[in-house]
Amino acid sequence: MKKLLVKAFRSNHALEVLFSSLRWFFLLMSAIVFSTQLSDNTDTFTIVLFIALVAFGVVYMGLSDYCLYRKPENSSIYKIMTKGGPFFDYIAFLCLVALTGGHESPLFPISYLIILHVCVYWRYKGAMICAGLLIVGFTVIVLLQGFPTVLSSQISFYTKLIYLFLIGFLGGIIVSRERIHYEEKSEYESMAKQDYLTGLFNHRSFQEDLKKAQMNRQNSFLVLADIDHFKKVNDAFGHVMGDKVLRTIGQIIFETVPEENGKGYRYGGEEFAILLYVDDFELTDFYLRAIKNKIEKTVFQTDEGEFSVTMSFGCKQIKTELNRDIVECVDKLLYEAKQLGRNRIVYEHTICVEEATH
């Protein structure tokens, strides 16, 4: 839970996971509240309606969690389910309030969380619109169920409307300001740590992560890779096409190495680095061969015709002891791969003999 809270400060995805967990919690609380009120309300239609609402909620939240955990963050279904969450919350809130006491429902505070959730995506204006819709919806429910005649209940009703407005107004400002500040900070950090062309991490990030890997991780792997004959690509097809090659290779590395198992870097020029946080030579070899083969099979189209490129790799395991010369050692392995004919992977003490394919 602590890790989730920390990530929620840095990631919209983690924040959605947190909101999803709260939905399940409030669904359970709703069931408890409704069950305690059964003695006062034995209307069969109300019970059936509540069960139907719970069943729908379980199905919706199950589907939402599936998209949250199984679908890429940039996919359409992921965006629909996450950004559409507040709409489901709004309808569910009104139904639950109507079924658990109307203006006296103990579930009313859920409305505050809905406003805060809306702030994540639609900022201050979204918060105010959401607050307005909640005020209207809540008022309609109270009027349909019978406006309270007791003065204390009337004061409680109007107070809740005021609270909704204040949460939308002040909460919208505070949350929006913090989200904007965070996004600006993240953008600056991204600019400082990422290579603008390939989208991979840059050389500075590589040096920082390598130091952490040597100090904190056991049996990781360091890889240096270089595009074979890249100068010929620039000379024959121009630097714009050369940049496209670099971007494509960066994308291949990013897509092939799972985030939890490693990171890719643009080391400099046409040279790349990869840190694999795995204690498995076979898995390391699997990732590198996958990258190598994907690059080989990628065809670039130009006005002068089509072409493909290959890469050479050097790889060494990072031991637990601090090795200040590890980059130099891996660079020698990469040089050895070049000397052996390029388009191959050379490990420390082990040469994977592969015929270069051009």
Side-chain angles (χ1 to χ4, degrees), residues 145-186:
Q145 292 185 338
F147 193 78
T149 56
V150 179
L151 180 60
S152 59
S153 297
Q154 293 177 356
I155 293 175
S156 174
F157 167 72
Y158 288 121
T159 301
K160 289 174 180 177
L161 297 187
I162 293 173
Y163 285 161
L164 282 174
F165 173 79
L166 291 177
I167 290 294
F169 179 69
L170 295 177
I173 291 176
I174 295 171
V175 174
S176 297
R177 185 182 63 180
E178 292 303 315
R179 296 298 296 178
I180 292 173
H181 173 72
Y182 166 73
E183 288 176 0
E184 289 177 346
K185 180 181 177 182
S186 297

Side-chain angles (χ1 to χ4, degrees), residues 316-358:
K316 174 180 169 60
Q317 191 174 34
I318 302 174
K319 303 295 178 62
T320 54
E321 64 272 11
L322 188 62
N323 185 349
R324 300 183 184 279
D325 301 323
I326 188 169
V327 174
E328 183 179 349
C329 293
V330 178
D331 194 51
K332 288 180 179 179
L333 295 173
L334 173 59
Y335 178 77
E336 187 173 357
K338 295 281 190 180
Q339 291 295 104
L340 288 170
R342 296 181 170 82
N343 190 28
R344 66 191 65 233
I345 308 166
V346 173
Y347 296 95
E348 184 184 29
H349 305 313
T350 305
I351 300 175
C352 297
V353 180
E354 303 174 16
E355 291 298 323
T357 56
H358 300 279

Side-chain angles (χ1 to χ4, degrees), residues 197 227-246 266 269-270 304 307 309:
L197 181 61
I227 305 174
D228 299 325
H229 303 297
F230 185 68
K231 185 177 184 302
K232 292 182 179 180
V233 174
N234 283 328
D235 292 343
F237 306 107
H239 290 279
V240 174
M241 181 53 66
D243 288 348
K244 183 177 180 180
V245 172
L246 291 170
R266 187 182 179 190
E270 67 270 25
E304 293 80 14
F307 72 96
V309 297

